[in-house]
């Protein structure tokens, strides 16, 4: 699965993913926006997550994908979904 927001997703592959929920990049950004609001600021969210405020800003703007620290703070993890041949 690619991070780029213009990439298409294979719905069947996403449904096969063994997870409670499969999140699109847009859903991750939405969750991050809510978490930043709850924390009071990007800097405070970043401090709690163990990352930098600049990384949070880059993820929110779509310039970079979230790293493991941000995903963990959101209760998510990275997964690779492939197609069967």
């Amino acid at each position: 699965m690619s991070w780029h927001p213009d990439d298409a997703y294979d719905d069947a592959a996403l449904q096969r993913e063994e997870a409670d929920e499969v999140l699109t990049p847009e859903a991750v950004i939405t969750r991050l926006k809510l978490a930043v609001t709850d924390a009071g600021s990007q800097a405070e969210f970043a401090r709690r997550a163990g990352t930098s405020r600049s990384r949070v800003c880059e993820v929110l703007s779509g310039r970079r994908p979230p790293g493991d620290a941000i995903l963990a703070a959101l209760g998510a993890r990275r997964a690779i979904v492939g197609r069967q041949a």
Side-chain angles (χ1 to χ4, degrees):
M1 177 164 41
S2 173
W3 171 253
H4 195 278
D6 292 335
D7 288 346
Y9 294 92
D10 177 8
D11 290 332
L14 290 174
Q15 290 171 4
R16 288 191 303 268
E17 172 64 21
E18 294 178 15
D20 294 331
E21 181 180 12
V22 176
L23 301 172
T24 63
E26 294 81 10
V28 172
I29 290 175
T30 298
R31 282 191 178 189
L32 180 56
K33 287 177 182 178
L34 293 170
V36 166
T37 298
D38 289 346
S41 69
Q42 290 180 8
E44 181 58 19
F45 174 84
R47 186 189 68 74
R48 293 177 188 175
T51 191
S52 67
R53 187 210 53 82
S54 62
R55 179 63 183 242
V56 172
C57 183
E58 289 172 333
V59 173
L60 286 170
S61 69
R63 289 190 307 267
R64 294 192 63 186
D68 291 338
I70 290 175
L71 290 173
L74 298 175
R77 66 178 173 80
R78 188 174 323 281
I80 299 172
V81 178
R83 297 178 193 237
Q84 287 184 323

